[in-house]
Amino acid sequence: MVTSVVREAPVGVFDSGIGGLTVVSEMLSQLPLEGIIYVGDTARVPYGPKSPDTVRRYAREIAFYLAGQHVKAIVIACNTATAHALDMLRAELSVPVVGVVQPGARAAAAATISGRIGVIGTTGTVRSGAYERAIRSLRADATVVSLACPLFVPLVEEGWTDHAAARLIATEYLRPLLDVGIDTLVMGCTHYPLLKPLLADTLGPSVRLIDSAQETAAEVGRVLRGANLDATSAENPVRRFLATDDPDQMLRLGQRFLGRTIERVETLALE
Ligand code: DGL
């Protein structure tokens, strides 16, 4: 039997940095009663180019920190960390662990008509093949073309989401996907939802864009309800934001990802 103490406990969310705030933003709109403790590993970002073992070590450290804060579930808001560490964390933790890959893959498999699906993400996510596996397990006949778009992350962090340079880079990156004739694109990186208008312009109206952040928040809701862990009281849900480096960056740039101001960021010392 699930006690109300557990039910009202916060959900732990983590990412390599501030990009995972796009998932928090969706959770705040879709699941407003849920408390949230967010950890951004700003000291060690980016995870995208790092080896799977290193990303797993970082992910384990943060997930165990969150488990120590008595969260009732953990959301890996980072695509790269999900690709490398989801299975490991599910095996090691006693609370439900939700990643961003499966929800995005499910939405893509449901949205495509032609079965030709593009996936864009970091080098680590693309190399892992996690999205291909997840999509093909749902739709075996799908053609999945995955592309690493590493320059998109710094462009978004610079706020250049509608800059001429971003348009040029998007055109170059996305050309192979247009050549294949995809009808669905998974934005498989925390930062890419901020590029949605630009990606939509570049790909044209026939390509449906899948936002992993939106899909993940919906999945978190389903998982919590399914385990009778969804919060029922609206009294001051926890909102804590922690950064492993100087809090200043999350305070300054967080709003761009979260869509609202972050008033306080705590410092979390790991290692
Ligand atoms: N959070 C990462 C992801 O979604 C992008 C930034 C990074 O490389 O750490 O894959």
Side-chain angles (χ1 to χ4, degrees):
M1 163 129 163
V2 178
T3 66
S4 60
V5 177
V6 177
R7 213 163 178 163
E8 302 314 321
V11 177
V13 183
F14 76 91
D15 175 45
S16 56
I18 53 176
L21 291 169
T22 52
V23 176
V24 175
S25 169
E26 283 298 329
M27 288 174 65
L28 292 176
S29 346
Q30 294 186 34
L31 311 167
L33 302 187
E34 299 299 340
I36 294 173
I37 304 180
Y38 178 83
V39 176
D41 197 2
T42 48
R44 302 186 290 201
V45 69
Y47 284 6
K50 296 201 168 78
S51 73
D53 278 349
T54 298
V55 173
R56 277 192 278 274
R57 182 157 52 83
Y58 294 169
R60 176 186 277 125
E61 224 177 338
I62 298 172
F64 275 84
Y65 166 78
L66 287 168
Q69 299 296 301
H70 308 293
V71 296
K72 63 183 174 185
I74 290 184
V75 181
I76 312 178
C78 175
N79 291 259
T80 312
T82 301
H84 296 319
L86 178 68
D87 293 344
M88 175 192 79
L89 293 181
R90 280 194 172 148
E92 292 181 354
L93 292 164
S94 55
V95 294
V97 182
V98 177
V100 283
V101 171
Q102 191 67 32
R106 195 177 309 125
T112 187
I113 294 165
S114 68
R116 283 192 286 276
I117 299 170
V119 176
I120 54 174
T122 66
T123 306
T125 299
V126 167
R127 278 210 188 124
S128 76
Y131 271 106
E132 273 108 316
R133 280 195 299 281
I135 293 169
R136 289 232 180 79
S137 74
L138 298 161
R139 195 166 159 162
D141 64 334
T143 302
V144 184
V145 182
S146 304
L147 281 178
C149 301
L151 292 174
F152 281 164
V153 168
L155 282 171
V156 169
E157 296 210 344
E158 277 301 311
W160 286 18
T161 49
D162 192 29
H163 192 280
R167 288 195 176 268
L168 188 69
I169 290 167
T171 306
E172 283 299 315
Y173 272 155
L174 302 179
R175 187 168 295 134
L177 298 178
L178 285 171
D179 290 347
V180 173
I182 59 161
D183 71 353
T184 304
L185 177 75
V186 181
M187 297 182 285
C189 174
T190 46
H191 289 57
Y192 299 175
L194 278 80
L195 290 168
K196 196 170 179 180
L198 180 101
L199 298 173
D201 274 3
T202 310
L203 291 167
S206 58
V207 178
R208 172 108 184 256
L209 297 181
I210 304 295
D211 181 341
S212 295
Q214 252 170 26
E215 304 301 334
T216 302
E219 174 76 3
V220 174
R222 279 192 293 273
V223 167
L224 294 178
R225 285 189 296 276
N228 287 327
L229 281 172
D230 52 319
T232 50
S233 149
E235 273 171 46
N236 298 324
V238 174
R239 305 273 184 254
R240 285 179 63 200
F241 298 92
L242 292 85
T244 56
D245 196 13
D246 185 340
D248 183 56
Q249 188 216 20
M250 198 183 282
L251 279 171
R252 258 185 317 111
L253 300 182
Q255 187 176 3
R256 196 177 290 158
F257 294 84
L258 193 63
R260 60 182 85 183
T261 319
I262 300 178
E263 261 135 45
R264 179 159 173 263
V265 175
E266 302 163 52
T267 307
L268 171 64
L270 291 173
E271 286 185 327

